[in-house]
């Protein structure tokens, strides 16, 4: 049977990939967190185990179990079996994996930042899949908002950046303001 991935960040935005048979889904027992690693000077959006949290995301098929392109895209992460933690509409249930930065690789000190062009793509995906309440839930089930946000909208550094509408941009900015995030 074809395996699937569970995406909880940029992979929720279908405009960033062409993986087939995509469906909204939920991952039980995990929450998102911005984490620092020695791999790069920007933070990764990862997931950490949390038995009290369930997060929204997107599952999609990985045809032929050819993980090479997705593994390359998710460099710096480890592919983790999701086991039965994903709530989804597919029957019989396929094998599902998600990506997470290994805990041993996190916690590196430094001035790492969140790319706003990356965050924009993530929020746009959540808005299209789950509406404004899904965007609110994204922000509320993600830790690490004390991390500075680098405003690179004028010259996006994220390779899969997308142009947001004025309303989408305002939605991102309003949530960052609500969380007192520091945008530089």
């Amino acid at each position: 049977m074809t395996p699937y991935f569970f995406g909880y960040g940029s992979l929720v935005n279908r405009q960033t990939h062409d993986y087939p048979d995509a469906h909204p889904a939920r991952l039980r027992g995990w929450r998102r967190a911005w984490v620092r690693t020695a791999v790069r000077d920007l933070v990764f959006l990862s997931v950490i185990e949390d038995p009290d949290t369930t997060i929204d995301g997107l599952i999609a098929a990985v045809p032929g179990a050819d993980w090479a392109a997705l593994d390359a895209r998710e460099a710096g992460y480890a592919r983790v079996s999701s086991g039965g933690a994903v709530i989804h509409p597919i029957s019989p249930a396929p094998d599902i994996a998600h990506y997470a930065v290994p805990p041993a690789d996190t916690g590196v000190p430094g001035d790492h930042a969140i790319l706003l062009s990356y965050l924009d793509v993530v929020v746009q995906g959540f808005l299209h899949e789950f509406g404004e309440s899904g965007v609110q839930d994204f922000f509320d089930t993600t830790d690490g908002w004390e991390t500075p946000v680098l405003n690179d909208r004028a010259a996006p550094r994220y390779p899969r950046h997308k142009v947001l509408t004025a309303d989408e941009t305002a939605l991102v900015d309003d949530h960052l303001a609500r969380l007192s995030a520091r945008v530089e």
Side-chain angles (χ1 to χ4, degrees):
M1 177 177 234
T2 300
Y4 283 64
F5 68 79
F6 176 87
Y8 54 84
S10 63
L11 286 167
V12 173
N13 192 327
R14 296 179 197 227
Q15 296 180 65
T16 70
H17 63 83
D18 59 359
Y19 287 93
D21 198 25
H23 304 275
R26 305 195 80 211
L27 180 64
R28 285 184 301 242
W30 296 81
R31 69 183 291 112
R32 282 176 290 270
W34 297 104
V35 299
R36 291 174 173 81
T37 75
V39 175
R40 60 182 180 183
D41 62 352
L42 299 166
V43 294
F44 283 82
L45 182 61
S46 189
V47 287
I48 55 174
E49 291 187 72
D50 179 349
D52 299 324
T53 304
T54 298
I55 59 172
D56 292 328
L58 192 79
I59 60 168
V62 181
D66 183 4
W67 290 95
L70 196 54
D71 287 349
R73 172 184 166 142
E74 301 301 314
Y77 293 90
R79 186 168 11 111
V80 178
S81 173
S82 303
V86 179
I87 304 162
H88 58 82
I90 300 172
S91 182
D95 287 334
I96 301 174
H98 62 274
Y99 289 87
V101 175
D105 295 346
T106 66
V108 174
D111 295 329
H112 299 64
I114 299 165
L115 277 183
L116 187 53
S117 60
Y118 173 79
L119 180 58
D120 285 345
V121 165
V122 173
V123 172
Q124 185 182 59
F126 274 88
L127 180 62
H128 292 181
E129 293 296 329
F130 303 103
E132 288 191 23
S133 65
V135 171
Q136 168 99 30
D137 191 59
F138 164 78
F139 280 97
D140 291 346
T141 59
T142 302
D143 295 336
W145 293 112
E146 68 280 357
T147 304
V149 179
L150 177 64
N151 185 349
D152 66 331
R153 282 181 177 149
R157 292 176 51 187
Y158 181 61
R160 287 173 289 282
H161 74 275
K162 301 295 172 202
V163 176
L164 273 60
T165 66
D167 288 343
E168 290 170 337
T169 300
L171 184 63
V172 174
D173 294 347
D174 289 348
H175 278 284
L176 289 173
R178 176 178 66 85
L179 295 169
S180 299
R182 191 174 79 222
V183 180
E184 303 174 340

